[in-house]
Amino acid sequence: MSNSRKYKVGLVQMSMGPDPETNLEAALGHIREAARRGANIVCLPELFRAQYFCQREDLRLFDLAEPIPGPSTTRLGQVAREARVSIVASLFERRAPGLYHNTAVTLNPDGAIASVYRKMHIPDDPLYYEKYYFTPGDLGFQAIDTPVGRVGTLVCWDQWYPEGARLTALQGAEVLFYPTAIGWHPAEKEEFGVAQYDAWQTIQRAHAIANGVYVAGVNRVGHEQGDVLGNRIEGPGLEFWGGSFLADPFGRIIAKASHDKEEIIVGEIDMTLLEDTRRNWPFLRDRRIDAYAPITKRFLDPVRAWAPDGEPK
């Protein structure tokens, strides 16, 4: 029997200013608007409470972190109850003194926390100094039930890793949400900008195809210099490229935002389409799970011939 269930997801592409409280209020307003437009689940961008502060290493910025449950989850829970929506929200988590995570929380329409996911893959690149702030996640990959469907949440740099998408999909996730903060270095945009965005979208569309799921990439937008209450970096900063999108299990883009403005996009999750796609592309059926053990190795070194004394020839 085919599953005819349908529901809608809202993706909030927003820009952030220097005041975290103002950003939170704006996000709450965007959630209400997405709910008015029919969304059953609303996802915010990565670390939406502040401009992207990981552009430098600054001890003072750890003060942005908060416990979970905490002030932000309380406010988000109130709006979840008011608007009767599930919410995916990315927060800077203070787990213990000196122990911090980049964490995505999923709240149910009753305001309760349904799941906590800690970002597993932590980047360290120019203007993306996340290893300074975030401990790698230790809760594993997760899929959780909401009132309308089963979803999984990963975070930004996780989106480049097919293993995370696969393990989340194997737990029954119908949608993979990727709250994101990714953009162009201004000096690189002209030469590499189109290719960088295309690679970002393509890898996530590939997750949709390979796993037969919907994938939502939810980015911030606008030019930022990591300004937090007037504490900003010198230099050109980052131009976050927006371009948030929802891809279906066939890899088709069914909703997409611009590169230069705030938008809320709403897309439909159709379980009939998901099932039909998997029937025609039965990748999960044909997986050779007996042959994949080496995937847990860091790298598969070339096979060599060895002498009887154990020395390579």
Side-chain angles (χ1 to χ4, degrees), residues 269-287:
I269 308 304
D270 182 345
M271 292 302 297
T272 297
L273 175 63
L274 187 151
E275 183 147 0
D276 286 347
T277 303
R278 286 188 175 183
R279 287 177 179 181
N280 286 286
W281 277 345
F283 300 137
L284 299 186
R285 181 197 69 189
D286 294 341
R287 294 176 64 238

Side-chain angles (χ1 to χ4, degrees), residues 6-87:
K6 296 181 180 181
Y7 55 97
K8 292 184 178 180
V9 297
L11 315 183
V12 175
Q13 177 170 293
M14 60 182 287
S15 58
M16 287 67 170
D19 180 22
E21 180 61 25
T22 300
N23 294 329
L24 176 58
E25 285 295 331
L28 299 178
H30 294 320
I31 293 168
R32 293 185 182 99
E33 175 59 25
R36 282 194 290 268
R37 292 171 52 184
N40 305 108
I41 306 173
V42 182
C43 184
L44 298 168
E46 182 183 20
L47 300 172
F48 69 93
R49 285 213 57 176
Q51 287 202 2
Y52 185 71
F53 54 87
C54 304
Q55 294 185 52
R56 79 286 206 183
E57 298 179 354
D58 186 335
L59 202 64
R60 296 168 294 177
L61 292 172
F62 284 102
D63 291 338
L64 290 170
E66 60 182 288
I68 296 173
S72 289
T73 56
T74 296
R75 300 275 293 282
L76 290 161
Q78 291 168 349
V79 172
R81 289 191 298 273
E82 169 196 319
R84 302 304 301 166
V85 294
S86 297
I87 298 171

Side-chain angles (χ1 to χ4, degrees), residues 42-217:
V42 182
C43 184
L44 298 168
E46 182 183 20
L47 300 172
F48 69 93
R49 285 213 57 176
Q51 287 202 2
Y52 185 71
F53 54 87
C54 304
Q55 294 185 52
R56 79 286 206 183
E57 298 179 354
D58 186 335
L59 202 64
R60 296 168 294 177
L61 292 172
F62 284 102
D63 291 338
L64 290 170
E66 60 182 288
I68 296 173
S72 289
T73 56
T74 296
R75 300 275 293 282
L76 290 161
Q78 291 168 349
V79 172
R81 289 191 298 273
E82 169 196 319
R84 302 304 301 166
V85 294
S86 297
I87 298 171
V88 177
S90 169
L91 300 170
F92 187 9
E93 179 190 4
R94 181 186 184 275
R95 183 176 179 182
L99 185 61
Y100 304 84
H101 295 280
N102 187 335
T103 299
V105 178
T106 302
L107 299 102
N108 276 333
D110 63 0
I113 294 175
S115 75
V116 174
Y117 169 78
R118 294 176 176 138
K119 185 173 180 177
M120 295 285 279
H121 302 94
I122 310 297
D124 189 70
D125 290 309
L127 300 185
Y128 294 91
Y129 300 114
E130 294 199 14
K131 281 185 166 63
Y132 179 76
Y133 294 100
F134 308 128
T135 301
D138 57 358
L139 298 176
F141 302 103
Q142 306 172 27
I144 58 103
D145 289 317
T146 72
V148 292
R150 189 165 176 82
V151 305
T153 298
L154 301 100
V155 178
C156 200
W157 194 233
D158 292 329
Q159 63 210 177
W160 299 96
Y161 295 85
E163 300 88 347
R166 175 73 88 200
L167 288 169
T168 308
L170 286 177
Q171 297 175 61
E174 300 157 2
V175 189
L176 303 182
F177 288 101
Y178 288 95
T180 298
I182 190 168
W184 293 298
H185 292 253
E188 296 179 356
K189 180 181 177 181
E190 182 174 354
E191 183 176 359
F192 301 109
V194 172
Q196 288 171 343
Y197 175 79
D198 184 63
W200 176 75
Q201 188 188 87
T202 299
I203 188 68
Q204 293 176 90
R205 292 173 62 197
H207 298 331
I209 296 167
N211 295 289
V213 296
Y214 288 82
V215 170

Side-chain angles (χ1 to χ4, degrees), residues 218-242:
V218 190
N219 198 14
R220 61 175 69 202
V221 69
H223 185 269
E224 297 184 15
Q225 290 181 284
D227 190 344
V228 179
L229 299 175
N231 174 13
R232 56 187 288 169
I233 66 164
E234 299 297 327
L238 291 169
E239 180 185 348
F240 291 94
W241 63 45

